[in-house]
Structures are given as C-alpha cells and as structure tokens.
Amino acid sequence: MNNNLLYQIISVLLLSLLIVSCNKDDLPTIPPQEPVSTWGVQSSNVTNNLKSVYFINEFTGYAAGNSFPNDTNKIIKTTDGGINWFRKPVGVTTASFTSIYFIDTITGYAAGSNGTIIKTSNGGDSWYVLPTLITDYIYDIKFFDSQKGILSGSTGKILTTVNGGDTWQIANTQTQQTLYSISINAPGEAFACGDRGIILYTNNYGSSWVKQLPDTSFTLKSIFFVNSNTGFSCGQYGTIIKTTNKGTNWSILTSPITEEFTSIFFTNENTGFLTGDYGYIYKTKNGGNTFTRLRTETQNYLRQVYFIGSNKGWVVGEYGTILHTTNGGD
C-alpha cells in the first residue's frame, strides 16, 4: 500500500470519528424559511384611499374611496377577479365614498360624505344621486332585498328605505354616537356598531333600534354576523367581541394586537379575517379562540376585507392598495 492511499484512509477515519463525537448542538442550524405571502398585490390604477370593496361573484367586483381634496369620489370595477381594474365615472365632485354595496349584477349603491348616496342600475356604467335629507357622513349601507335598505352614519344617524332608495326615513336610534358598520343577519334583522362600544339591534327592517351591552367602551369599527345568532365585532385597541345568542351576551376575545382593527369578515362560523394598520391581516380557524397573522407585501393601512366563498378574498386600503388571495389567505 502506498503512502498516499494510506494517508487518505487515515483522513477518512479521523473525519468519521470527529463527526460521531460532535454534540448535535454543535452542528450548524438552518433557520426556518419566511412564510410565503399568498396575498398578491393587484393594480388598482388609482392612488386614493380605498375604503370599501364588494364582489358580486368571483369575477365582478367594485371598490370605492377617496383622498380629499385632490383625488375624490373614486369607484373602480373589475370583471376578471381584479386582474384589471377600471375607474367608473360617478358624476359627483365633492363626495368621499366610504361604502359600496350591490343587490344584484346591475343595481348598486355607494355612500359617503355630506349625506351622499349614489345608485347605479347598469352595473356601474353610470350613477345618479339619491335624496337623503341629511348632510351627515354615511359610513355603511346595506340592503335586505331589492327594496328595503338601511344606512348608518355620524351623530347616530340611521336611515331606512322601502323603495330601493328613492326616499329615505330617519330612524330613532336614541344615540348620538357615530355608527360605522351594519350587518344583516336575518330577514328584517340587523346590527350596527360604533363609537364607545355601542351596538344597536333591529328586528323590523330598521324602523326602531334597541341598545345591546357588549361590555366594552372602545369604538367598534366593523360588525359581521355569520348566521342569525353568531356575530363578531372589532375595533379600537385590538378589540374583538363575539356573540352566539343574537347579541344577548357578548364576550371579549383575546386579541393578538393592541392597534385598531378596521374590518372583519367570516366565511363560516370558524373561519374569519380581520384587517388593520401596518398591513395587518389576521385569520382565525376556530371561531376566534386564536388568531394568526398572515404575511402581506404592504404596510399600508387596510380598511376592508371581503370574500367570495372560502378561498377567494380581497382587501383594500390606503394609496389604492388591493390585495387578493385564492387559497383563503394561507
């Protein structure tokens, strides 16, 4: 055996002994990979703050917002799931829009500042202004059916219509607190939430409202009912509350953050999403017992989340931000 071969054999044996004798803690560790974001950024073709998003189906959707005074009254539409968004003219020059809602493929409403409500009857190609008799800021608008609808706004204002928005009546809410969000949970039944933890309930299409006791004094910015009994609300300082008996009792859930939540949406009793500042999107898979932060490619303020089915969702926010997922955000 020559010296070179003997040297190679000895070297291999020594290396093997060294590896075996090493403590596993001495071996190099591979850091875990960052989770890949499944929220893709869509180009909205606007720079304004998008405050509301609504999809009729997985392809056709709308978003609305503003950035007063240079970029007001924006409504944009997509017919391909958000691959392309196009601005739709609204014929109003001074309003800022906070909410958009469609009752079918052609009939929709948008509402916002100065008591402004606009309506389209041709899928957003043109819009016209509806009379409201108020100048309060309108934060949300929802419809029970093609004729009966409600809206909420500042100074405790709730208005109702029974003729598709041609005329509106002011409801008695017995509050001056701003009401930011509405959720319809059953025929004729709805909830509204707002400043200082106020929650209101109606069972007569909004004609009259009663206060509930959610056991929080923090402002609630969004409310969502999964069915007639189970609902959630979220808002200031990371507040999240839940009811399973139509608001008779509300329980405070453990929140993952102390910053403000802006919007909440559930696809079923267990699975829900919340949005907030700094690009926050949080998801629960167990009815709010725990929440997981979902990675996004933005730190912009996110204002509203909306899902079609359990997998396809959109989030809109500041600077024309639109995020989209096709797998439930995971």
Side-chain angles (χ1 to χ4, degrees):
M1 181 180 296
N2 60 49
N3 291 336
N4 288 337
L5 180 58
L6 180 61
Y7 176 78
Q8 291 176 6
I9 294 174
I10 293 173
S11 297
V12 171
L13 290 174
L14 289 174
L15 180 61
S16 300
L17 288 172
L18 178 62
I19 292 174
V20 171
S21 64
C22 283
N23 187 298
K24 66 179 181 179
D25 293 334
D26 297 330
L27 297 175
T29 57
I30 300 174
Q33 290 184 327
E34 282 290 321
V36 177
S37 171
T38 62
W39 290 87
V41 178
Q42 294 186 334
S43 176
S44 65
N45 292 315
V46 296
T47 60
N48 55 304
N49 297 334
L50 296 174
K51 297 182 176 181
S52 183
V53 59
Y54 189 92
F55 269 74
I56 299 169
N57 52 50
E58 62 182 292
F59 301 108
T60 303
Y62 299 81
N66 77 293
S67 183
F68 186 82
N70 298 319
D71 204 8
T72 58
N73 59 57
K74 288 295 192 307
I75 292 180
I76 56 176
K77 178 181 180 179
T78 180
T79 56
D80 55 17
I83 298 173
N84 298 285
W85 290 86
F86 303 95
R87 183 177 174 183
K88 309 301 290 186
V90 297
V92 182
T93 59
T94 58
S96 303
F97 293 120
T98 315
S99 180
I100 191 163
Y101 185 88
F102 273 71
I103 60 174
D104 54 38
T105 57
I106 61 172
T107 307
Y109 301 81
S113 62
N114 303 318
T116 302
I117 308 173
I118 59 174
K119 180 178 180 179
T120 180
S121 300
N122 56 14
D125 290 338
S126 60
W127 299 78
Y128 56 93
V129 178
L130 299 176
T132 61
L133 303 178
I134 64 170
T135 58
D136 299 89
Y137 208 113
I138 300 171
Y139 285 98
D140 202 5
I141 184 169
K142 295 287 194 309
F143 273 76
F144 296 96
D145 53 39
S146 63
Q147 299 299 309
K148 297 183 183 68
I150 53 179
L151 61 83
S152 66
S154 57
T155 66
K157 287 292 193 306
I158 288 183
L159 274 64
T160 65
T161 181
V162 295
N163 54 17
D166 290 340
T167 58
W168 295 83
Q169 298 77 41
I170 299 176
N172 181 14
T173 62
Q174 303 181 59
T175 183
Q176 291 292 307
Q177 304 298 334
T178 294
L179 301 169
Y180 293 106
S181 179
I182 298 168
S183 181
I184 293 173
N185 68 315
E189 295 185 320
F191 292 81
C193 70
D195 278 344
R196 298 185 181 180
I198 190 169
I199 292 182
L200 302 179
Y201 167 72
T202 181
N203 60 7
N204 55 14
Y205 294 94
S207 295
S208 61
W209 297 78
V210 294
K211 292 182 182 179
Q212 295 193 328
L213 301 174
D215 198 28
T216 180
S217 60
F218 295 137
T219 292
L220 299 171
K221 301 301 289 289
S222 182
I223 190 166
F224 189 94
F225 269 73
V226 185
N227 52 45
S228 61
N229 291 310
T230 303
F232 300 80
S233 186
C234 65
Q236 195 177 33
Y237 302 118
T239 300
I240 311 170
I241 59 175
K242 177 181 180 179
T243 180
T244 56
N245 54 13
K246 199 177 291 187
T248 301
N249 305 103
W250 291 86
S251 57
I252 297 177
L253 303 182
T254 301
S255 177
I257 64 172
T258 56
E259 295 84 5
E260 181 178 84
F261 279 123
T262 56
S263 176
I264 190 167
F265 192 102
F266 271 72
T267 57
N268 55 56
E269 287 190 19
N270 292 317
T271 306
F273 302 83
L274 297 95
T275 63
D277 204 353
Y278 309 107
Y280 284 163
I281 301 178
Y282 280 86
K283 180 178 181 178
T284 179
K285 295 182 180 180
N286 51 23
N289 291 330
T290 58
F291 295 87
T292 301
R293 183 178 175 181
L294 305 180
R295 183 183 170 197
T296 66
E297 301 301 324
T298 182
Q299 292 187 346
N300 291 338
Y301 191 93
L302 301 177
R303 293 187 178 270
Q304 193 171 62
V305 54
Y306 192 91
F307 268 77
I308 290 288
S310 59
N311 291 320
K312 296 185 177 181
W314 291 262
V315 172
V316 297
E318 284 187 325
Y319 307 114
T321 300
I322 300 180
L323 304 177
H324 175 50
T325 182
T326 58
N327 69 349
D330 289 332

